Amino acid sequence: MPAPSGFSYEERPDGTVVVTHGSRVAARLRGTRAQEFLAEAQSGDPQLVMARWTGNYKRGNERTAKRHPRNS
């Protein structure tokens, strides 16, 4: 599986963190969640962290697709 890419984040003066993918807003984080995100993004791979926090890491349909007759 390729590494996630195309994510960026912006920390705003009011403490809100806006995560975008391409040019679309993927998540808005406020308060303690924003602080937790920033700490994790600065200590690890930011692209992977943003993908996980926005829910774009795994969509849950991998098992279904694996069992599809077309993929047998």
Side-chain angles (χ1 to χ4, degrees):
M1 175 165 52
S5 63
F7 287 97
S8 63
Y9 70 91
E10 174 188 359
E11 185 178 5
R12 297 204 171 153
D14 64 353
T16 303
V17 175
V18 178
V19 180
T20 58
H21 186 256
S23 61
R24 302 181 91 177
V25 174
R28 283 192 177 94
L29 306 170
R30 296 177 180 91
T32 56
R33 288 189 47 113
Q35 297 307 314
E36 289 172 12
F37 168 80
L38 289 172
E40 192 173 335
Q42 292 168 355
S43 67
D45 178 18
Q47 290 292 310
L48 185 59
V49 171
M50 287 182 273
R52 195 168 46 76
W53 275 73
T54 59
N56 287 323
Y57 185 61
K58 286 195 175 181
R59 300 193 185 277
N61 63 352
E62 290 86 4
R63 189 175 304 145
T64 305
K66 185 177 179 182
R67 290 191 304 233
H68 193 277
R70 171 185 69 228
N71 297 326
S72 294

